[in-house]
Amino acid sequence: MNAFLGFFQFISGLGVSVMMPIVLTILGCCLGAGFGKSLRAGLTVGVGFIGLNLVINSLLGTTLSPAVQTMVERFGLSLTVVDVGWPAAAAIAMGSTVGIIIIPLGLAVNIVMLLTNTTQTVDVDIWDYWHFAFTGALVAIVTDSIVWGIIAAILNMIIIMVLGDYTAPLVEESLNMPGVSLPHGFTAAYAPIAMLFNWIFDKIPGLRDIDINTDTLQKKFGVFGEPILVGTMIGLVIGCLAYWDPSDIATSITQVLTLAVSLGAVLVLIPKMAALLMEGLLPISDAASTFVEKRFKNRGKIYIGLDSAVGVGHPVTLAISFVLVPLCIFLAVILPGNKVLPFADLAVIPWMFVLITPVVHNNGFRGIIIGIIVLTVGLYIATDLSPLITTAAANVQFDMGTATAISSICDGANPLTWLIVRIGSFMNGIGMIVIAVLAIALAIWNRKRILKEAAELHAAKSEE
C-alpha cells in the first residue's frame, strides 16, 4: 500500500507540465490513437502548460502582484489573516491524510462515474484533485474524523464532475474548446452562482439589455477595443494607483508603462498558449469520441477534463479580473468583519471567472457584478475558514512564518468547500448525509441527461 500511494505521490510531484504528457500519452494509446500521435499530443499539451505558467508567473506574478502589494503599503492597509496563496493551500491539502490517497481515490471515483454513466468527463487533471483533498482535510478537522473527511472529498468531486459536464457545451462555445470540460474544484464552484444571477439579470428590464464584451468594444472603439489595448489601459490605471510619485516622475513612468505593456501582453499571450493546448488535445478528444462511438451506444459525448488554466486567457475573463484585482483589496478593507488581506492569491482571481464568463455569454458587465458579489462573500468565507486552515497547516507542519492565522482565496474562499464543511459537520454527520443526498441526486440527474443526449445523437445518426 505504501508503494502504491508513493507512486501516485511521485506522479503528482512531477508537476502538471510533466504529468500531463505522461497521462495523455497513456490515455491516447488506450483509446487507439497510436503511440506516436499520443506522445506528440501529450508533449504539445505539456508545452502549452509551460507557456501558460511562464506567462502567468512571469507577467501576472512579477508585475501585477507587486503593484497590488505597493498599493496595500501606500494606502496603509492592515488585516490580521494572511492570504498564503494556492501553492500553500495545495501543499497543506496534499500533506493531509486525505491528500495522501486523493489521486487513486479520485481516479476510482471518475472510473465508477464513467461506468455508471453519471459523468461524461475523463478527468486527466489529476493534480487538481488537491481541491477535493482540501475540503476533505477541513471536514476531517471539524468532525474529528478521517472517514468523514474522505467522504467529503468524494462528494465534492462528484458535484464538481457534474458541473463540469453541464458547463462543457458553454466551454466549447465561449472558449472554442471542443471536447473539453473543466471539472476544476475552484472554478466550477462559481458556475451555479453565475447561473442564478444570470437568470436574475434576464428578469430585470433595462439591466438585461446591457452587454459589454470584446466584440461590442471592438465595434464601438475599433482598435482601442482590442484585448491588447484593453489590457494596456487597465494596466495604466492600476500602475498609476500603485506607482505614481510626483517627486520621481521618471521612475513612475517606467513602472506604470511596464505594468501597462505587461497586462496588454497577458491578454495576447495566454490565448495563444491555450490554442497550443487545444492543438495537443484534439487528437486525444477525437480518439475518445471514436472509441465511445464504437463500443458504447448509450453514451453521450465524452469530454477530456482539464485544468481551468486553459480558459484563463479569454479576453473578457482577463479584463474582468484586472478590474477586480484592485477592487478586491478595496473590498477587504471596507467590509466589516473581514480579516483577510488578499495578497498571494490575487493572481488566481482570473480562475474564478473562467466559467462565469461562458455562463453570462461573455457579458463583461454581468461578469463584474457577479465578481463583486462572489469576492465579497468569498472574503467572509475565507475569514470563517481561517481557523480550520491554520489548524490544517499546523497538522502537516507547514511553515507559516510570522503569521498566526492564514487563509487563501483559492480554496479558502470557495463557496462549495464552505458549504460542505459547515453543512457537513452539522449534528454529528447528519449534515454530511444531506450533502451525500444532494451529490447522488445530481449524479442521477446527470445520468438521465447523458442518456437523453445519447439517444438524440443516435437518432440523428440513424436518420443520416
Side-chain angles (χ1 to χ4, degrees):
M1 178 60 70
N2 288 336
F4 179 72
L5 295 177
F7 170 75
F8 282 103
Q9 286 180 310
F10 169 74
I11 294 295
S12 174
L14 292 174
V16 66
S17 59
V18 176
M19 181 186 69
M20 289 298 288
I22 295 173
V23 172
L24 288 175
T25 300
I26 295 172
L27 179 62
C29 289
C30 292
L31 293 172
F35 177 75
K37 185 181 290 187
S38 300
L39 178 61
R40 184 186 183 282
L43 289 173
T44 303
V45 170
V47 170
F49 271 108
I50 289 174
L52 274 175
N53 288 332
L54 285 173
V55 175
I56 292 167
N57 294 332
S58 298
L59 293 179
L60 287 182
T62 61
T63 57
L64 183 59
S65 292
V68 173
Q69 178 62 15
T70 302
M71 289 172 57
V72 169
E73 295 170 356
R74 168 171 284 189
F75 296 106
L77 308 182
S78 178
L79 294 164
T80 58
V81 177
V82 178
D83 168 20
V84 292
W86 76 263
I92 293 168
M94 297 304 277
S96 69
T97 304
V98 180
I100 291 173
I101 64 170
I102 193 60
I103 290 180
L105 182 66
L107 288 171
V109 170
N110 193 183
I111 291 169
V112 170
M113 292 187 72
L114 286 167
L115 292 175
T116 56
N117 252 354
T118 50
T119 189
Q120 297 167 276
T121 295
V122 180
D123 190 2
V124 300
D125 182 28
I126 60 177
W127 160 249
D128 276 318
Y129 288 2
W130 77 261
H131 295 281
F132 313 132
F134 185 86
T135 300
L138 298 190
V139 169
I141 291 171
V142 77
T143 61
D144 194 26
S145 169
I146 295 299
V147 173
W148 281 125
I150 293 171
I151 292 172
I154 293 172
L155 297 177
N156 191 358
M157 182 172 182
I158 291 172
I159 294 170
I160 291 297
M161 294 295 289
V162 173
L163 290 173
D165 286 348
Y166 187 72
T167 55
L170 294 173
V171 170
E172 289 188 313
E173 177 189 353
S174 175
L175 302 178
N176 192 27
M177 293 185 176
V180 169
S181 68
L182 304 178
H184 189 272
F186 177 61
T187 300
Y190 296 95
I193 299 172
M195 293 173 193
L196 171 62
F197 281 99
N198 196 54
W199 178 83
I200 292 173
F201 287 138
D202 285 338
K203 303 299 179 183
I204 302 175
L207 197 63
R208 64 189 174 202
D209 300 321
I210 301 175
D211 186 3
I212 301 174
N213 57 54
T214 50
D215 291 334
T216 57
L217 285 175
Q218 285 184 243
K219 288 178 182 177
K220 290 182 179 180
F221 300 104
V223 68
F224 291 100
E226 293 181 5
I228 187 171
L229 287 171
V230 171
T232 300
M233 287 185 283
I234 293 173
L236 284 173
V237 174
I238 297 174
C240 288
L241 290 172
Y243 297 126
W244 187 255
D245 182 0
S247 64
D248 190 355
I249 294 178
T251 301
S252 298
I253 290 175
T254 300
Q255 292 174 315
V256 170
L257 292 180
T258 299
L259 179 62
V261 174
S262 295
L263 294 192
V266 168
L267 263 70
V268 173
L269 294 176
I270 290 184
K272 293 185 182 299
M273 293 303 102
L276 189 62
L277 281 167
M278 285 311 305
E279 179 187 332
L281 281 172
L282 281 175
I284 306 298
S285 179
D286 291 342
S289 298
T290 302
F291 182 87
V292 171
E293 186 177 343
K294 284 182 178 179
R295 291 166 176 80
F296 303 100
K297 299 301 182 183
N298 64 332
R299 305 269 171 145
K301 186 173 182 177
I302 290 293
Y303 298 102
I304 304 297
L306 292 181
D307 189 322
S308 55
V310 300
V312 167
H314 193 286
V316 173
T317 296
L318 286 174
I320 291 170
S321 302
F322 291 165
V323 170
L324 290 177
V325 164
L327 187 59
C328 184
I329 298 293
F330 177 71
L331 289 171
V333 174
I334 66 169
L335 290 174
N338 171 59
K339 297 179 181 178
V340 177
L341 175 61
F343 173 55
D345 261 347
L346 287 170
V348 302
I349 284 180
W351 272 254
M352 188 180 288
F353 297 97
V354 170
L355 284 179
I356 291 177
T357 297
V359 168
V360 300
H361 302 290
N362 307 336
N363 188 327
F365 171 76
R366 294 188 180 190
I368 288 176
I369 300 300
I370 294 172
I372 292 172
I373 294 168
V374 296
L375 283 175
T376 299
V377 175
L379 287 169
Y380 285 121
I381 290 174
T383 298
D384 180 59
L385 293 181
S386 172
L388 293 177
I389 296 172
T390 304
T391 301
N395 288 346
V396 299
Q397 287 81 49
F398 178 80
D399 184 7
M400 295 189 294
T402 59
T404 57
I406 63 172
S407 192
S408 69
I409 301 301
C410 174
D411 267 357
N414 188 323
L416 181 57
T417 295
W418 182 82
L419 284 172
I420 294 174
V421 170
R422 292 308 180 195
I423 296 177
S425 60
F426 181 69
M427 290 184 64
N428 297 321
I430 292 178
M432 193 61 69
I433 294 174
V434 173
I435 298 293
V437 170
L438 172 63
I440 293 170
L442 283 172
I444 293 172
W445 169 83
N446 200 36
R447 172 182 164 82
K448 291 180 179 178
R449 186 189 60 80
I450 292 169
L451 293 177
K452 180 181 178 182
E453 177 186 299
E456 291 173 351
L457 287 173
H458 183 67
K461 288 180 181 179
S462 298
E463 291 178 1
E464 293 175 359

